[in-house]
Amino acid sequence: MMRIKAGIEKIPGGMMVVPLFLGALLNTLAPDTATYFGGFTGAMLTGTSAILAVFFFCVGATIDVKQSGYIAKKGMTLLVGKVVFAALLGYGAALFLPADGIQSGLFAGLSVLVIIAAFNETNGGLYTALMTKLGRTEDAAAFPFISIESGPFFTMIILGVGGLATFPWQTIVSTLIPFAVGMIIGNIDKEMRSFLGQAVPVLIPFFALALGFGLDFGMIVRSGFMGILMGVAVVFLSGGVLYLMDRYITGSDGVAGVAASSTAGAAVAVPFIIAELNPQFAPVAESATAIIATSVLVTALLTPVLTMWIAKVQIKRGIPQRKIQKGSSINHSDQAKITS
């Protein structure tokens, strides 16, 4: 029996990256596939918006609004830190980059949209896996707050507040409605939360395939350098900022902050959605999608390595993972295994 799932998951972010690349390959070799077959086949290859709407609805259902004080503080710190830092980078880049991004040369594809989208979202699954592996159940419980970053909402807010784009209020609200309704249902009924939450990982390869079918494989290859550079920047720049915030705002050792230094797979969909809502971003949507896809892969490789290294360093330095009250703290006994 072939173990397809296990094989795909050996690749970092495989359930996102592999279908995306297969979709791009299909579009490169047979670009008329969707229109030739039409029907369900065509809908599966081109129905990105519908699939994403269901995805964000189900993600919303996983959010538990009843969280302990520490968990809420941790989650909000990482959420606000990631979004604000992405905004500052985007506003700074807007002073130097052309509106339609860099079109040629080594940095081809670099745009304000790709910077904000790549830095704006955290790979929640990767974060949770790292915190669980380190025995940090409370830190792992901050996942719902990180999930709020999913989708184009914060990217739209950043672009709008910075005067980089305008979106009708109905457009902004429309991106929130599926997420908000899902969150309401999930908090009213825990069984619905569990039921809908199971669909989140299942939907990822489907919207990744549809996104990939909107790309040209040549663009993905050409964006390789820029995507790698973006991934490295996301890990070390946002990782450094979130480390400091986690260290000095939540009173932790900063490890969770580093674990949040990644690009979410859902961020790959953001340029496509933004371009549909505001055509001024259409010229950079394809290159931005390719760059972000590469960043997802790079951060999925680098973030775990950096997180485990920081955890070991903090243990050797005797820095506690969490202060309970003045004069006492939670020690590193749950993490001792990583020093071996």
Side-chain angles (χ1 to χ4, degrees):
M1 179 182 293
M2 291 182 64
R3 302 188 64 198
I4 298 175
K5 182 174 182 290
I8 292 176
E9 290 180 338
K10 288 181 180 179
I11 302 171
M15 281 298 177
M16 178 76 202
V17 174
V18 171
L20 186 138
F21 275 76
L22 288 176
L25 181 62
L26 178 61
N27 186 42
T28 302
L29 299 177
D32 297 326
T33 301
T35 53
Y36 181 80
F37 288 101
F40 293 138
T41 299
M44 188 171 71
L45 293 174
T46 60
T48 313
S49 297
I51 300 173
L52 284 170
V54 177
F55 173 76
F56 292 131
F57 181 94
C58 294
V59 169
T62 66
I63 305 297
D64 185 356
V65 296
K66 298 177 182 179
Q67 299 287 340
S68 73
Y70 172 79
I71 294 170
K73 185 177 182 180
K74 171 78 72 171
M76 287 303 296
T77 298
L78 298 180
L79 168 64
V80 173
K82 199 76 183 286
V83 172
V84 171
F85 185 58
L88 294 176
L89 282 179
Y91 298 155
L95 299 175
F96 304 98
L97 295 178
D100 57 349
I102 299 176
Q103 297 297 316
S104 60
L106 194 60
F107 299 100
L110 183 62
S111 64
V112 172
L113 176 59
V114 76
I115 291 172
I116 293 175
F119 276 87
N120 193 38
E121 298 189 33
T122 298
N123 187 329
L126 180 62
Y127 170 85
T128 304
L130 288 170
M131 292 299 94
T132 301
K133 184 174 183 180
L134 292 173
R136 297 165 175 252
T137 54
E138 286 188 306
D139 286 351
F143 166 76
F145 292 90
I146 293 175
S147 296
I148 295 174
E149 297 170 15
S150 294
F153 177 73
F154 282 109
T155 300
M156 293 172 65
I157 295 297
I158 292 172
L159 291 170
V161 171
L164 303 176
T166 57
F167 299 93
W169 71 266
Q170 297 96 327
T171 299
I172 296 176
V173 172
S174 72
T175 65
L176 265 185
I177 290 175
F179 187 91
V181 174
M183 185 168 64
I184 292 171
I185 292 176
N187 280 274
I188 291 175
D189 186 347
K190 291 183 179 180
E191 290 185 357
M192 284 298 291
R193 180 191 304 162
S194 176
F195 171 70
L196 294 170
Q198 296 176 66
V200 173
V202 175
L203 289 168
I204 290 175
F206 290 99
F207 78 71
L209 178 67
L211 283 170
F213 191 73
L215 298 177
D216 178 86
F217 197 70
M219 173 57 72
I220 295 178
V221 174
R222 291 192 297 273
S223 70
F225 170 77
M226 194 61 249
I228 292 172
L229 183 63
M230 184 62 63
V232 172
V234 167
V235 171
F236 287 98
L237 294 182
S238 67
V241 170
L242 294 176
Y243 167 84
L244 294 173
M245 294 184 70
D246 187 29
R247 184 88 172 80
Y248 298 106
I249 294 179
T250 68
S252 185
D253 58 2
V255 174
V258 177
S261 64
S262 59
T263 300
V268 178
V270 171
F272 166 83
I273 298 172
I274 295 294
E276 277 207 335
L277 300 175
N278 191 324
Q280 79 177 71
F281 294 102
V284 300
E286 183 177 318
S287 58
T289 300
I291 290 172
I292 293 172
T294 305
S295 181
V296 171
L297 180 60
V298 172
T299 59
L301 289 168
L302 288 182
T303 297
V305 174
L306 185 61
T307 300
M308 302 305 283
W309 180 74
I310 291 294
K312 289 181 180 180
V313 169
Q314 300 300 66
I315 290 173
K316 290 180 180 179
R317 293 174 66 189
I319 298 175
Q321 55 173 268
R322 174 191 166 190
K323 293 180 181 178
I324 299 178
Q325 57 186 17
K326 191 173 182 179
S328 64
S329 64
I330 291 177
N331 60 35
H332 295 278
S333 59
D334 290 335
Q335 304 176 63
K337 59 186 178 182
I338 70 170
T339 61
S340 60

